Amino acid sequence: MSDARAAERLVSDVRAAELAAMEALFDELWPLPRSLTGDGVRETHRRISRVMPLETFEVPSGTQVFDWTVPLEWRVNQAYVIAPDGRRVLDFAESSLRLVGYSVPFRGRMSLEELQAHLYSLPEQPDAIPYVTSYYRERWGFCLSERERRALPPGEYDVVVDTELFPGSLTYSHAVLPGETGDEVLLTSYTCHPSLANNELSGPLLLAFLHRRLAAWPRRRLTYRFVLAPETIGALVYLRAHGEHLRRAVRAGYVVTCVGGPGGLTYKRSRDPSLADRAAEHVLAHWQEPHAPRVVDFTPIGSDERQYCSPGFRLPVGSLMRAQYGTYPEYHTSLDDKSFMDLAAVQRTLDAYEAVCRVLDGNETLVNLSPYGEPRLGPRGLYPDVSVGGRNHRVSEAVFWALNLCDGEHDLLAVAERSGIPFDEVREAADRLLAAGLLAPRDG
């Protein structure tokens, strides 16, 4: 076997092992009953910490967080409905989607007509069980498919909602992977949705294995901060605790969600033009997949970018997704399961995130130390002494572009953007010029 074939085989084996580990973690996390709070969230973080070492924090119920308050902790002991014929037709133990999130306790007997007011289904999707929550208004309810609802027989039903709402805490975790500088990249996802694949588990899975990849880099210039918290209230809790530090340190950030569905990549820009946008859009401009990537502008509707990009913080946070939330019929239903979310697609999105991190980590502003005309490149080994056709054209292009635009005002990403040359080739050219003494860091 040739060296090239052996290297390809090694890469293939490494990717297969990563994919298998990702699937094993998915299968562990899938049945855990996640919500804004509770043991399901804690256990989710505990299991993820075997891949990505996490520091976990608990914030007491009742804590004031800007305009919000940390809610009571919610625990489900059991919840089910027994039909007139004695069958248990709805059961939280069968799927955590069956119970409306944060349902208050209830026990009673009622007619089908009375029960209907507490049932949730989707007439337009007769085989889907909807994901329903009631975090901030007291109610109880069950979720079922429209087909199941129509099949319920008339008569008296026994209902048991054995839940607890009590002063407890909200759980969030982070992992900080240090680099040579204090400049940070923020990468966040959430762990608050039960039994949803693309809209829940794809994000934490990608974060965990991105951490593993970045930890294996021989060198990191930047520091990478990975955050897991419940959506909205968890992001606000994190900003309350760490917001001022993030404002000083974060140079780029991304909300990692919906990264495993079908189709191509979608990048949602941050509120204000940012390095996060430039890095992601540059990677997508050179990305090779059957489906063309797309870029959409920021809107204050979506996931936790709403909080990180709020006017009080204005962090440079975008979101690189695949099958964006709200754009596919399986969204927030039982159809968003493992068969819908392709783990190989999660891995391809992971490749894109790592490529974005490589751009961010390799980007810096350099100064040409020989700016008056072109320095001689041949004696420095930077230009071939024999030119045959266009064989050396591409490397030479990156060298010339770097020499021309590295004026202390343009970073290397600007060189790549202006020239149309992929960033890694621009970075390679800059490294050669640095070694030859023709470029130097702007800041010494």
Side-chain angles (χ1 to χ4, degrees):
M1 184 183 296
S2 68
D3 289 346
R5 288 287 300 278
E8 288 177 8
R9 178 67 179 271
L10 178 61
V11 169
S12 177
D13 290 347
V14 169
R15 289 183 67 81
E18 179 182 67
L19 196 60
M22 196 179 291
E23 182 170 25
L25 183 56
F26 177 93
D27 291 343
E28 281 190 50
L29 299 178
W30 177 255
L32 297 177
R34 285 173 293 277
S35 186
L36 290 187
T37 61
D39 291 337
V41 177
R42 295 185 186 97
E43 183 63 13
T44 295
H45 289 209
R46 189 187 70 80
R47 297 192 187 199
I48 291 172
S49 70
R50 299 202 303 260
V51 178
M52 173 174 62
L54 291 172
E55 184 180 6
T56 298
F57 304 84
E58 300 286 343
V59 181
S61 301
T63 301
Q64 191 68 31
V65 182
F66 306 121
D67 197 40
W68 297 63
T69 304
V70 174
L72 295 172
E73 188 167 333
W74 185 57
R75 178 182 297 143
V76 182
N77 298 314
Q78 57 180 344
Y80 56 85
V81 175
I82 297 178
D85 59 7
R87 291 181 300 116
R88 190 173 287 200
V89 290
L90 300 171
D91 194 347
F92 179 82
E94 177 254 323
S95 170
S96 54
L97 285 178
R98 288 295 193 185
L99 184 65
V100 170
Y102 264 64
S103 283
V104 297
F106 177 83
R107 286 177 182 264
R109 187 171 176 83
M110 61 182 61
S111 68
L112 176 60
E113 290 72 22
E114 293 171 308
L115 179 62
Q116 292 285 10
H118 299 277
L119 299 182
Y120 299 86
S121 62
L122 298 169
E124 68 280 9
Q125 292 179 275
D127 295 313
I129 301 169
Y131 164 56
V132 181
T133 62
S134 184
Y135 296 135
Y136 302 107
R137 181 180 173 186
E138 290 192 357
R139 59 160 55 89
W140 64 267
F142 287 86
C143 302
L144 70 171
S145 72
E146 183 67 15
R147 202 176 303 280
E148 290 173 322
R149 186 172 195 157
R150 292 172 185 169
L152 291 174
E156 294 292 305
Y157 285 76
D158 290 309
V159 178
V160 173
V161 181
D162 182 5
T163 59
E164 301 173 59
L165 286 159
F166 58 94
S169 61
L170 177 149
T171 306
Y172 76 84
S173 299
H174 69 197
V176 180
L177 195 57
E180 296 170 0
T181 73
D183 292 343
E184 292 190 8
V185 177
L186 174 67
L187 297 146
T188 81
S189 193
Y190 46 79
T191 51
C192 55
H193 296 69
S195 301
L196 297 177
N198 186 55
N199 184 231
E200 167 77 351
L201 290 182
S202 70
L205 283 174
L206 189 148
L207 274 197
F209 286 88
L210 180 61
H211 183 283
R212 175 178 282 185
R213 286 192 186 185
L214 301 191
W217 283 5
R219 176 194 175 197
R220 288 182 304 276
R221 187 175 63 86
L222 302 177
T223 292
Y224 294 84
R225 179 179 294 264
F226 298 78
V227 177
L228 291 175
E231 200 169 19
T232 304
I233 183 63
L236 292 169
V237 164
Y238 197 81
L239 284 166
R240 175 180 174 271
H242 306 279
E244 289 308 309
H245 170 80
L246 298 181
R247 289 177 65 184
R248 293 190 301 270
V250 170
R251 301 296 171 259
Y254 304 94
V255 174
V256 182
T257 180
C258 295
V259 294
L265 293 166
T266 294
Y267 179 67
K268 179 181 177 181
R269 293 184 174 119
S270 55
R271 177 187 188 270
D272 304 305
S274 67
L275 178 61
D277 297 346
R278 293 173 60 211
E281 291 179 46
H282 177 79
V283 167
L284 293 190
H286 297 274
W287 199 249
Q288 298 296 315
E289 278 192 9
H291 299 279
R294 68 189 188 111
V295 176
V296 298
D297 211 351
F298 172 81
T299 64
I301 301 162
S303 188
D304 283 333
E305 66 277 4
R306 309 195 311 268
Q307 316 311 329
Y308 294 108
C309 293
S310 59
F313 291 101
R314 295 183 66 169
L315 295 175
V317 173
S319 186
L320 180 58
M321 297 167 279
R322 191 185 294 271
Q324 182 180 353
Y325 42 75
T327 64
Y328 55 95
E330 296 84 358
Y331 176 68
H332 273 197
T333 78
S334 58
L335 302 181
D336 184 358
D337 58 13
K338 189 178 180 181
S339 65
F340 173 76
M341 187 200 79
D342 181 6
L343 283 162
V346 177
Q347 190 178 48
R348 292 194 299 274
T349 316
L350 171 59
D351 295 337
Y353 265 101
E354 185 179 19
V356 170
C357 291
R358 288 196 183 279
V359 171
L360 293 169
D361 212 81
N363 190 43
E364 60 180 324
T365 303
L366 303 174
V367 177
N368 187 340
L369 300 180
S370 183
Y372 300 103
E374 247 170 46
R376 292 188 65 196
L377 302 180
R380 296 178 169 90
L382 295 171
Y383 198 81
D385 55 4
V386 175
S387 181
V388 181
R391 186 177 301 165
N392 300 298
H393 181 63
R394 206 44 194 273
V395 173
S396 300
E397 266 196 1
V399 166
F400 286 131
W401 275 105
L403 282 170
N404 193 273
L405 289 183
C406 285
D407 52 7
E409 299 176 12
H410 297 83
D411 58 16
L412 291 178
L413 183 51
V415 177
E417 291 167 336
R418 180 84 177 267
S419 67
I421 299 172
F423 181 85
D424 58 347
E425 295 182 31
V426 171
R427 179 72 252 187
E428 180 185 352
D431 287 339
R432 295 173 65 187
L433 290 165
L434 283 162
L438 291 173
L439 293 182
R442 180 185 62 183
D443 300 321

